[in-house]
Amino acid sequence: MRLRALLDTDALGLRLLGGEDELDRTVRGVMTTDLRDPSRYLSGGELVLTGLAWRRDAGDSEPFVRILAQAGVAALAAGEAELGDIPDDLVLACARNRLPLFAVHESVAFATITEHVVRQVSGERAGDLAAVVDRHRRMMTSGPAGGGPDVVLDLLGSDLDLRAWVLSPTGRLIAGSKTTGPALPADVCAKLAAEHLAAARTGRRGPHRLTLGSTTYSLFPVRSSGRSSQGSRDVRETVLSDWLLAVEADAGDWPEERLDLLQGVTQLISVERDRRDAARTVRRRLAQEVLELVQTGAAPAEIAARLRVAAPVLLPGLGAAPHWQVVVARVEWDGADVEDGAVAQSLLEEILVDPLATGPEPSDRIAVAHTGDEAVALVPLPAVSAEHDGSEAGILADVLLESVRDPLAAGLDDDGRVTLGVSAAVHSAEGLRGALEEARHARRVAAARPGRVCAAGHQELASHVLLLPFVPDDVRRAFTARLLDPLRDYDRRHRAELIPTLEAFLDCDGSWTRCATRLHLHVNTLRYRVGRIEQLTSRDLSRLEDKLDFFLALRMS
């Protein structure tokens, strides 16, 4: 709405004191304040209402008005109830800063003005949003493609000044408006995704809202229309793969009409997603064919032929066949009638993307099949990665885990679990069967660990870490208790820090000098502590066998 419309509304009791040339400014909101510096709560376009409690003398007006002008507010309305006439110094300050100034009659409550502005602005924006949705629908029907989620987000940003982003269930940024400014930080994306997944699991009605710092976000699910039309029996079938629309606004006070229109926006985005999912059909079929050949012991030449067909589809323009990695995933739900393999397949298609990449295109390079209750992904490595040693190229289990653990744990709640195994890169079809077994074995190692989301890589299969998860719990407890409980008990009674000393001593390979330096101790003090450890446990830390026992006990504790 325009400032001129406020002045023409007699019930608001507004009197113009300055800024007649600025009455065509657009009002986007309203704010009441008596803070001397309200800048942190301003985003531009507001009608600011004030009772002038911030003004102690004439010198206060100029700084206050300058703050409002720099924030881009539409106008200032000052109440006459406190001081009667509006002070001349405030009128002059507004004139110098080209800020329209209204006087509010003492008989008019600020709440009356606020209610009127909110009602008008919300109604106008709902109408604008309807136009946005209609315009995007026309764009989608005018050509073979709608331009992706970015198009509708650009419309939201340019037409409605709404900052919005499309995120994956793990918080990867899929799309954002070019008019929204800087991309959302990765940690904010992860927190929004986690809140969305947690709310979806509890069955709370959307949109879900989350405030981070001083910013409130409203989260709308973007469900695949193809899957929705089939009538998903259980939210757990799709919760780990559905996208979400994050809008920088508090939708808690939006009218139903506006919420319905935002739902229309999510439907437009879901159509774009369905188009992408349809394109995955070919890649899924290629992965399924290769997987069946590998599992049935087909000749390497036959597998290589299928890989030569797959490579151009997954990496268009690639001159030579790439190296490959295999990633195996399993999703398990307690007591649920859910097709776990299909759930794991959809999940892998969302998470096996470079966390720094934006847009859905990088996921087109991955082919995922599922068999039984597990999903298997074939990940081609571009030539630049294949030049490196296989142990360093491609996907690393710890990096993958770090990028997905927190959001997925929220979606798994207390009845779900995801385990992932990652193979080394292989150079040919002959190595693909070994890579599959390696990834499956790594996933079993991950499954033996505690936690809702666990991953293991091929590097761990040649380490003692491989053995520890398979030690029975009662054996673990007995072994660690025998070695470490005397030290823990002594530390509790004397605050002697024997456990940290033992960890540092082993980590320094038994070097007295390096360990003393790390702990900021005199060497004699270190010798005393080690002697006490040996006395309490009847072990000798100069012997390799006893060092190894302590090392394993600490790792299993």
Side-chain angles (χ1 to χ4, degrees):
M1 66 180 301
R2 306 288 183 181
L3 287 174
R4 193 179 305 280
L6 290 175
L7 193 61
D8 293 341
T9 305
D10 295 337
L12 300 183
L14 297 177
R15 180 164 51 91
L16 184 66
L17 300 181
E20 185 174 0
D21 295 339
E22 304 291 336
L23 291 180
D24 285 328
R25 289 188 180 186
T26 300
V27 178
R28 296 176 177 172
V30 61
M31 173 190 175
T32 300
T33 184
D34 276 311
L35 295 174
R36 296 170 68 86
D37 180 4
S39 57
R40 75 182 71 176
Y41 304 109
L42 298 171
S43 57
E46 295 93 348
L47 171 67
V48 174
L49 306 175
T50 180
L52 300 177
W54 50 267
R55 182 184 177 277
R56 296 183 178 87
D57 54 49
D60 291 336
S61 293
E62 178 67 28
F64 180 79
V65 172
R66 189 183 304 118
I67 288 170
L68 300 187
Q70 291 174 348
V73 303
L76 174 65
E80 295 178 326
E82 184 72 19
L83 301 178
D85 292 337
I86 304 303
D88 291 339
D89 50 89
L90 180 59
V91 176
L92 292 174
C94 287
R96 283 193 294 269
N97 289 275
R98 299 182 61 83
L99 183 66
L101 175 64
F102 297 102
V104 182
H105 194 272
E106 62 180 1
S107 63
V108 179
F110 282 174
T112 300
I113 301 174
T114 299
E115 182 180 353
H116 177 83
V117 172
V118 169
R119 185 168 57 248
Q120 294 297 318
V121 171
S122 297
E124 291 176 1
R125 284 200 169 185
D128 290 343
L129 188 55
V132 169
V133 173
D134 182 65
R135 181 141 60 101
H136 186 262
R137 283 189 174 126
R138 289 198 303 271
M139 291 176 64
M140 290 182 66
T141 56
S142 64
D150 306 77
V151 173
V152 69
L153 298 186
D154 283 339
L155 294 176
L156 290 177
S158 61
D159 290 17
L160 301 180
D161 196 27
L162 279 177
R163 288 161 52 85
W165 302 266
V166 178
L167 306 177
S168 78
T170 57
R172 183 176 66 86
L173 183 63
I174 292 171
S177 167
K178 298 180 180 65
T179 63
T180 58
L184 282 178
D187 61 328
V188 173
C189 291
K191 290 175 182 176
L192 295 177
E195 172 64 20
H196 167 73
L197 289 175
R201 283 304 315 277
T202 58
R204 299 205 310 265
R205 182 183 178 186
H208 315 301
R209 289 172 290 157
L210 178 65
T211 299
L212 299 175
S214 60
T215 304
T216 298
Y217 300 90
S218 297
L219 310 176
F220 298 82
V222 178
R223 298 188 174 92
S224 168
S225 60
R227 282 178 291 174
S228 299
S229 64
Q230 296 170 8
S232 177
R233 296 170 298 171
D234 194 314
V235 68
R236 288 171 288 191
E237 293 181 10
T238 59
V239 68
L240 299 182
S241 55
D242 279 341
W243 289 357
L244 67 139
L245 173 67
V247 181
E248 189 181 289
D250 188 344
D253 56 358
W254 284 2
E256 286 296 325
E257 295 81 3
R258 194 173 193 202
L259 289 173
D260 289 344
L261 289 167
L262 256 294
Q263 295 295 344
V265 171
T266 65
Q267 290 172 12
L268 294 178
I269 297 172
S270 73
V271 170
E272 298 291 346
R273 177 174 181 176
D274 287 343
R275 287 175 170 162
R276 190 208 63 174
D277 287 348
R280 284 180 170 171
T281 303
V282 174
R283 295 191 297 277
R284 286 182 171 183
R285 187 170 64 248
L286 286 171
Q288 200 72 43
E289 291 174 357
V290 172
L291 179 61
E292 290 175 2
L293 290 173
V294 170
Q295 292 189 135
T296 57
E302 188 177 358
I303 299 174
R306 297 309 301 160
L307 291 178
R308 283 194 295 272
V309 172
V313 175
L314 301 179
L315 286 177
L318 191 66
H323 295 189
W324 300 85
Q325 267 185 292
V326 176
V327 180
V328 173
R330 184 169 180 177
V331 178
E332 299 172 275
W333 303 103
D334 295 340
D337 183 18
V338 174
E339 190 180 354
D340 295 333
V343 174
Q345 181 181 44
S346 297
L347 176 62
L348 277 185
E349 288 173 337
E350 290 298 332
I351 70 175
L352 289 183
V353 180
D354 183 348
L356 299 179
T358 59
E361 290 77 13
S363 62
D364 293 347
R365 299 176 177 178
I366 296 160
V368 186
H370 76 84
T371 174
D373 55 4
E374 72 175 8
V376 178
L378 296 175
V379 183
L381 304 180
V384 63
S385 295
E387 293 172 359
H388 297 83
D389 177 72
S391 63
E392 299 297 329
I395 297 170
L396 300 176
D398 54 347
V399 176
L400 178 63
L401 179 63
E402 185 65 24
S403 67
V404 304
R405 178 174 47 209
D406 291 344
L408 285 185
L412 293 166
D413 198 18
D414 60 355
D415 64 342
R417 195 153 191 259
V418 171
T419 51
L420 303 159
V422 182
S423 79
V426 295
H427 306 256
S428 63
E430 287 84 349
L432 204 55
R433 185 169 188 175
L436 176 60
E437 291 305 315
E438 189 173 58
R440 283 175 167 163
H441 200 62
R443 192 207 64 78
R444 288 193 290 270
V445 170
R449 295 172 176 167
R452 289 289 166 193
V453 186
C454 298
H458 63 94
Q459 301 95 332
E460 301 175 54
L461 301 186
S463 165
H464 66 277
V465 178
L466 172 65
L467 302 176
L468 296 184
F470 299 101
V471 176
D473 288 342
D474 55 345
V475 176
R476 282 174 178 250
R477 288 191 292 269
F479 184 72
T480 57
R482 186 166 60 251
L483 282 178
L484 301 183
D485 279 3
L487 307 182
R488 290 170 176 151
D489 182 60
Y490 191 87
D491 281 347
R492 279 193 298 270
R493 289 186 287 111
H494 301 284
R495 299 181 180 178
E497 298 188 353
L498 296 185
I499 292 289
T501 300
L502 176 61
E503 290 175 331
F505 186 72
L506 294 175
D507 195 44
C508 291
D509 296 324
S511 169
W512 297 99
T513 303
R514 283 195 289 127
C515 185
T517 301
R518 174 182 293 191
L519 296 175
H520 305 289
L521 298 175
H522 191 278
V523 172
N524 288 341
T525 303
L526 176 61
R527 290 184 183 278
Y528 172 80
R529 289 188 182 180
V530 170
R532 178 62 66 183
I533 291 170
E534 293 175 335
Q535 181 183 20
L536 291 169
T537 60
S538 301
R539 297 296 182 111
D540 182 355
L541 278 168
S542 65
R543 298 179 66 247
L544 176 61
E545 293 86 345
D546 288 343
K547 286 181 182 177
L548 181 58
D549 283 349
F550 277 122
F551 176 80
L552 293 174
L554 289 169
R555 283 299 181 95
M556 288 191 293
S557 64

